[in-house]
Amino acid sequence: MIVVRAEPGDLTRLIKFRTDTADWLRPKGIDQWSLSFPPEQIAASIARGEVYLFKEHVAADAAATVTLDREADDLLWTHEERLDEALYVHKLTVDRAHAGTGLGGRILDWAGNRAALAGARWLRLDAWTTNPQLQAYYLDQGFRHVRTVNDPEVGGSGWVAQRPARSESGWPDVDLTEGHEA
């Protein structure tokens, strides 16, 4: 796999990741991502260089995506926690054709390395409160559950977790920049 930054022309594909995942989760009784996400927010993340695509080669369709930024939601993380250097994983999505291949874990390891290289102490994320399989997945990936926030403003995404910014799999501390293998 290679890692490339998303470009404005990738917006349609990024929205499709989200709708495809919502369609896959719905029959399981999980309402995650059932509400549409404002495309302008995704476009703003693309413009800031925070959205990454994982591809088998440069010309291939994206196999997965993740947004990695320093945006700590103040409804989820305490003031003291927000003072710690951290990078936050958002919208990690693997295309169903690549599900079960370990790609999600590799992306989390890549993100952990990026966080460490950026001087962050933590790699953090939040997950849907009604998706226990996703929560268990993150625990299996070395994250520690911090708390579950039940606040109507948060919606379903109030299960928060973190792990140290270093990779759990021993990946070397190298910057895997655009177009390099992940």
Side-chain angles (χ1 to χ4, degrees):
M1 286 286 161
I2 60 167
V3 182
V4 296
R5 285 189 198 265
E7 298 176 358
D10 296 315
L11 182 60
T12 301
R13 178 62 177 115
L14 292 165
I15 292 169
K16 184 171 176 13
F17 268 119
R18 191 174 180 95
T19 56
D20 287 353
T21 300
D23 291 345
W24 175 70
L25 290 170
R26 191 174 303 109
K28 298 173 180 294
I30 299 170
D31 64 347
Q32 181 174 344
W33 292 357
S34 58
L35 299 176
S36 63
F37 194 80
E40 59 274 7
Q41 287 183 13
I42 298 171
S45 291
I46 292 169
R48 289 190 300 269
E50 301 165 342
V51 183
Y52 298 90
L53 299 172
F54 296 78
K55 299 179 169 195
E56 293 186 53
H57 54 81
V58 175
D61 185 27
T65 184
V66 71
T67 299
L68 189 62
D69 62 30
R70 294 188 181 269
E71 299 296 318
D73 187 329
D74 60 0
L75 295 173
L76 299 175
W77 299 97
T78 68
H79 173 73
E80 293 76 22
E81 289 165 340
R82 291 192 313 272
L83 294 176
D84 277 339
E85 287 292 320
L87 287 188
Y88 296 82
V89 171
H90 305 282
K91 302 175 195 72
L92 172 58
T93 314
V94 175
D95 188 273
R96 297 312 311 153
H98 296 272
T101 64
L103 181 55
R106 291 178 64 203
I107 292 169
L108 290 169
D109 288 343
W110 173 86
N113 283 321
R114 297 283 296 199
L117 289 167
R121 179 178 176 201
W122 300 107
L123 181 64
R124 291 179 171 158
L125 52 79
D126 60 276
W128 211 250
T129 57
T130 59
N131 191 339
Q133 293 117 340
L134 182 59
Q135 296 164 19
Y137 174 78
Y138 287 133
L139 293 172
D140 287 345
Q141 295 299 315
F143 284 84
R144 181 183 59 80
H145 177 236
V146 175
R147 78 181 61 77
T148 300
V149 177
N150 293 306
D151 182 327
E153 285 189 62
V154 172
S157 196
W159 184 92
V160 297
Q162 65 185 12
R163 76 178 195 193
R166 299 253 178 241
S167 168
E168 297 295 318
S169 68
W171 276 21
D173 291 333
V174 295
D175 187 5
L176 299 174
T177 55
E178 296 78 286
H180 290 79
E181 288 191 27

